[in-house]
Structures are given as structure tokens and as C-alpha cells.
């Protein structure tokens, strides 16, 4: 049973996911592998339209990177300014400035588009 149509409804989506499960281990170069590649693209298109993922909050992104790197609030002073400024940013009382964003992009490699969000002053 081959699946070869656009996914327009929740029922179509569920059917496509079931078919992906059935042919997930298809050998490369086979018709099933081609079908799998097409289905994954169709599912991704449907999910992007119906289940969009919003960009993370800039502060959440910073805290996530801190966790990844084992950094503390004190380590953030070099990027955000003073200890009180770090506290203000993390409590959402102060927005990130362009200068802070540049330092975070350069130093922690957090994408600018994530940091910019709606918080730039």
C-alpha cells in the first residue's frame, strides 16, 4: 500500500505516520525508500503548518546554553554587564541590548535570531 497524496487532514496525517512506521527500515534505492522520503517531507510540511514551534524566549535560550556549558550567573557578567544587570535580565526586568546580544552571539554562539526575539531595546 503506497501513500502518495498531500496530507490535508488529521486522518491523512495519522495514516501517513502509520505508513512511515511500516516502511521505516526500507533499503536505500528501493521504491519503499523513495516513498519513505516523500512521506517524511509531507509529514514535515503538515507539522510545520499545523504544529509550529515558536522560537524560545531569549532568557530561556541563555539559561539553556549556560546549563550546557556549566556556566553560573557570575559567568554571565562578561556578557550582560554587572551582577545586578544579570539578575534584571534573568527576571525579565531588563531587555537585552544590542551590545549584550553581540557578546552572547560571539561568546556563547547563541544565534542572534533567538536572542533578538521581541526583547531588543
Amino acid at each position: 500500500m503506497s501513500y502518495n497524496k498531500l496530507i490535508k487532514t488529521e486522518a491523512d496525517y495519522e495514516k501517513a505516520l502509520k505508513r512511515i512506521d511500516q516502511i521505516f527500515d526500507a533499503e536505500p534505492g528501493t521504491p519503499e525508500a523513495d516513498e519513505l522520503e516523500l512521506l517524511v517531507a509531507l509529514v514535515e510540511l503538515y507539522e510545520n503548518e499545523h504544529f509550529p514551534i515558536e522560537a524560545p524566549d531569549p532568557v530561556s535560550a541563555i539559561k539553556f546554553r549556560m546549563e550546557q556549558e556549566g556556566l553560573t550567573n557570575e559567568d554571565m557578567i562578561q556578557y550582560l554587564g554587572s551582577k545586578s544587570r544579570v539578575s534584571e535580565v534573568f527576571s525579565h526586568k531588563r531587555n537585552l541590548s544590542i551590545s549584550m546580544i553581540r557578546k552572547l552571539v560571539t561568546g556563547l554562539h547563541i544565534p542572534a535570531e533567538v536572542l533578538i526575539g521581541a526583547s531588543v531595546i
Side-chain angles (χ1 to χ4, degrees), residues 103-120:
K103 290 176 185 176
L104 290 163
V105 168
T106 303
L108 295 180
H109 308 289
I110 301 172
E113 55 272 10
V114 171
L115 294 172
I116 291 171
S119 70
V120 176

Side-chain angles (χ1 to χ4, degrees), residues 5-21:
K5 66 177 192 162
L6 287 176
I7 300 171
K8 297 179 182 178
T9 67
E10 185 73 23
D12 291 342
Y13 176 68
E14 293 299 326
K15 187 175 178 183
L17 290 177
K18 284 181 185 175
R19 182 62 181 153
I20 287 172
D21 282 342

Side-chain angles (χ1 to χ4, degrees), residues 76-94:
M76 300 311 295
I77 292 171
Q78 64 181 313
Y79 305 108
L80 303 178
S82 65
K83 188 175 181 178
S84 63
R85 188 153 298 157
V86 170
S87 177
E88 290 170 349
V89 168
F90 285 176
S91 64
H92 297 279
K93 292 180 181 171
R94 176 184 290 271

Side-chain angles (χ1 to χ4, degrees), residues 51-84:
F51 313 113
I53 298 174
E54 294 185 24
D57 167 64
V59 172
S60 297
I62 295 168
K63 288 182 177 181
F64 179 73
R65 182 54 51 95
M66 287 173 64
E67 185 178 313
Q68 287 179 318
E69 301 292 326
L71 301 173
T72 65
N73 284 9
E74 279 198 17
D75 295 321
M76 300 311 295
I77 292 171
Q78 64 181 313
Y79 305 108
L80 303 178
S82 65
K83 188 175 181 178
S84 63

